[in-house]
Amino acid sequence: MKKILVANRGEIALRVMKTAQKMGIKTVAVFSEADRNSPHVKFADEAVCIGPAPSNESYLKGDKIIEVAKQLNADAIHPGYGFLSENASFAELCEEHHIIFIGPHSKTIKIMGSKLAAKEAVKAYDIPMVPGIDEAITNIDKAKSIAHDIGFPVLIKASAGGGGKGMRVVEQAADLESQMNRAISEATSAFGDGSVFIEKYVTSPRHIEIQIMADNHGNILHFFERECSIQRRHQKVVEEAPSCILSPELRTKMGEAAIKVAKSCDYLGAGTVEFLLDADHNFYFLEMNTRLQVEHPVTELISDVDLVALQIKVARGEALQLKQEDLKITGHALELRVYAEDPLNNFLPSVGHLNTYKIPKGHGIRVDNGFKVGMDIPIYYDPMLAKLITYGKTRSEAIQLMIKAIDSYHIEGVQTTLPFGKYVCEHEVFRSGNFDTHFVKNYYAPEILKEQASEEAKIAALVAVKQYLEDQKLLRLPS
């Protein structure tokens, strides 16, 4: 493998390219007209514009990306995450054109891309699943009957998608019909597939995921868990590894279950098996993400591996050299997704110009970044600017370092999730480890951040006045 085309943008494109460069592999960037001056374009050995700003005219044009790969003699395509990373048709297109897709086979993506097909695949492996139905439905009367049998609250989920789209929690029978219609409509709009299914809603759930890696030689490893329960709109914002509530026995059980899920679909490469953990520490299979996850750095830090390097090695046919017993958890890592979103306004995207953009540096601080000062934040894509990751010997050390790193991260021109990240890290419930996916709903209110910002502004003003008076004293001293 001498050349990899990275079919993505921003921080993940740079992340992949840096590892490829270390491995002596040349890289090709593809970019939209809006990303012409992006860092990933300048970092790559070669770069090709593939279309206008909207992703459906650029980053989602699989045939165009294949065409560029062939023109520039790229051996492989790394899809990153998002865009075409979990698109079975694109993986199949790569296979047809004899280009290595750095990810699982197209048939695997197809199976795990449907929540119902995924559940069917893992059935034979005795993996615990949330009580529910194994078929997609649209009939309201049938939905009411099923919900009654399972017992409220229930969760309506789109079969074809993720990211919280087409998902509705229904607390009582009276709301089922309206929520079903909304979920179906949203799923149709987002995924072109309105099929939904119903399952029992796990109250006080924690979102725990297991990182796995599989090669073509029958080896499957798990790299422990990530805690991803701090979410807004069913999407993760703060992640950490390891989870502070898993016992060694439960960690082993969940790791073994994740390996079984990988076996059930003949998995290849990096993947993540997601579980829900209830208040009694029972875990249930949720879904499998057939790609590298946004939050993979926390796993890299605690297990001392480069997951992208392992992806590339298994994609070119190498066997994994590590054994499960070689892997150990060392220290604790925390990640904050730095989104251009306004936490004071329901986390709505904040579009603007980066007048100031200064990232924190120091021991134990890692920033996977895709932007620089002077750039505009495009409205066309996911609003994530960077990932701020901290690593310490203990969880409390990683948290304290994260607070310090947030204070040293200076951004002007757009609103970001940095203040929210600091709020989470300073909150006693998060610090105690006794939280779940309802943290934002139960503990966060924009007014609190506004009060904190006002208080910080007052302190800064008082410090400035004090410094001014000290300076004036010095000036009045006789020579």
Side-chain angles (χ1 to χ4, degrees):
M1 195 182 289
K2 295 177 181 174
K3 190 186 287 188
I4 295 173
L5 183 150
V6 182
N8 218 295
R9 63 183 295 276
E11 64 82 19
I12 188 56
L14 270 173
R15 163 74 191 89
V16 173
M17 287 173 187
K18 285 175 181 176
T19 286
Q21 186 187 67
K22 282 181 193 170
M23 297 174 76
I25 301 169
K26 291 190 180 299
T27 56
V28 177
V30 289
F31 62 94
S32 71
E33 290 169 4
D35 283 337
R36 188 172 295 280
N37 297 314
S38 292
H40 80 279
V41 176
K42 294 176 180 175
F43 186 88
D45 296 292
E46 298 171 271
V48 178
C49 182
I50 50 169
S55 53
N56 62 355
E57 296 179 46
S58 51
Y59 296 107
L60 292 174
K61 299 283 280 186
D63 52 351
K64 177 68 176 172
I65 290 167
I66 294 283
E67 186 186 311
V68 171
K70 293 186 80 172
Q71 281 173 357
L72 299 182
N73 297 313
D75 310 290
I77 292 176
H78 195 302
Y81 50 73
F83 294 133
L84 295 169
S85 63
E86 292 181 283
N87 186 304
S89 300
F90 180 64
E92 199 170 2
L93 205 56
C94 290
E95 291 160 7
E96 286 171 9
H97 287 275
H98 306 290
I99 296 169
I100 298 168
F101 179 78
I102 301 178
H105 302 298
S106 57
K107 63 178 182 180
T108 303
I109 298 173
K110 205 171 286 182
I111 291 166
M112 288 297 160
S114 163
K115 290 183 178 66
L116 293 174
K119 285 189 172 191
E120 189 62 38
V122 303
K123 250 185 188 177
Y125 287 80
D126 198 28
I127 293 160
M129 286 186 272
V130 179
I133 56 159
D134 296 333
E135 58 174 321
I137 58 168
T138 51
N139 184 288
I140 301 296
D141 290 333
K142 189 171 185 181
K144 286 178 180 175
S145 172
I146 291 161
H148 184 267
D149 290 343
I150 296 171
F152 287 92
V154 297
L155 185 64
I156 301 168
K157 294 170 81 173
S159 175
K165 295 179 176 69
M167 188 183 287
R168 290 288 183 278
V169 177
V170 186
E171 303 279 353
Q172 53 191 9
D175 299 330
L176 187 67
E177 185 167 352
S178 63
Q179 295 293 358
M180 271 282 289
N181 289 331
R182 287 177 70 183
I184 290 167
S185 170
E186 200 172 282
T188 304
S189 173
F191 313 115
D193 179 355
S195 58
V196 298
F197 64 101
I198 296 175
E199 63 186 25
K200 179 72 178 172
Y201 181 63
V202 178
T203 54
S204 300
R206 290 181 78 129
H207 189 140
I208 308 285
E209 60 188 31
I210 308 286
Q211 174 72 55
I212 64 102
M213 184 74 68
D215 65 21
N216 258 326
H217 304 269
N219 303 304
I220 307 173
L221 301 174
H222 75 79
F223 293 79
F224 315 111
E225 81 282 357
R226 293 186 288 257
E227 169 77 67
C228 305
S229 299
I230 305 294
Q231 307 177 358
R232 48 93 179 95
R233 297 195 300 272
H234 301 290
Q235 291 183 310
K236 306 159 192 169
V237 189
V238 177
E239 299 107 343
E240 60 182 308
S243 170
C244 60
I245 60 158
L246 260 59
S247 65
E249 295 76 22
L250 185 54
R251 178 173 292 120
T252 299
K253 276 186 188 174
M254 292 181 77
E256 287 169 352
I259 286 171
K260 286 179 182 176
V261 171
K263 282 180 180 173
S264 78
C265 60
D266 190 25
Y267 204 80
L268 175 68
T272 300
V273 182
E274 306 207 355
F275 296 99
L276 282 183
L277 192 72
D278 69 15
D280 298 317
H281 291 194
N282 300 305
F283 66 91
Y284 305 98
F285 171 67
L286 190 60
E287 63 184 348
M288 185 176 198
N289 288 308
T290 55
R291 54 172 167 79
L292 195 68
Q293 291 278 82
V294 175
E295 57 274 19
H296 75 273
V298 293
T299 296
E300 293 186 320
L301 290 172
I302 65 153
S303 55
D304 192 28
V305 295
D306 183 329
L307 291 171
V308 174
L310 289 181
Q311 275 190 301
I312 292 169
K313 286 177 181 178
V314 300
R316 62 189 185 193
E318 294 180 31
L320 289 164
Q321 298 303 305
L322 292 163
K323 303 292 180 196
Q324 192 64 56
E325 56 269 24
D326 298 331
L327 295 168
K328 301 282 186 293
I329 295 173
T330 304
H332 198 97
L334 206 64
E335 174 180 296
L336 168 65
R337 300 188 188 190
V338 184
Y339 284 109
E341 293 180 343
D342 187 357
L344 300 180
N345 190 16
N346 199 29
F347 295 96
L348 289 175
S350 176
V351 178
H353 183 78
L354 291 176
N355 301 315
T356 300
Y357 192 73
K358 186 182 176 187
I359 64 174
K361 292 177 181 174
H363 181 70
I365 296 171
R366 167 177 164 178
V367 183
D368 283 15
N369 178 42
F371 283 82
K372 61 183 180 179
V373 69
M375 288 180 66
D376 292 319
I377 309 302
I379 60 170
Y380 308 98
Y381 317 116
D382 181 275
M384 192 167 72
L385 301 176
K387 299 178 313 203
L388 176 58
I389 309 115
T390 56
Y391 175 78
K393 292 191 189 82
T394 63
R395 183 173 186 261
S396 58
E397 191 179 306
I399 290 172
Q400 283 307 114
L401 188 54
M402 177 62 78
I403 293 167
K404 180 184 171 187
I406 288 169
D407 286 340
S408 303
Y409 207 140
H410 299 299
I411 302 176
E412 290 177 13
V414 295
Q415 300 301 314
T416 74
T417 48
L418 287 169
F420 172 74
K422 186 176 180 181
Y423 171 81
V424 171
C425 287
E426 290 179 338
H427 201 285
E428 60 183 27
V429 169
F430 178 73
R431 295 175 81 96
S432 74
N434 187 26
F435 58 90
D436 57 30
T437 56
H438 303 311
F439 177 89
V440 170
K441 184 175 79 174
N442 292 341
Y443 302 108
Y444 174 69
E447 299 76 49
I448 299 168
L449 276 193
K450 283 177 186 171
E451 281 174 26
Q452 285 181 349
S454 175
E455 194 60 34
E456 284 172 9
K458 278 182 196 171
I459 293 166
L462 287 170
V463 169
V465 168
K466 187 181 179 201
Q467 188 61 50
Y468 173 77
L469 293 172
E470 293 291 330
D471 291 346
Q472 290 302 303
K473 277 184 194 172
L474 285 170
L475 285 170
R476 284 196 295 268
L477 286 173
S479 56

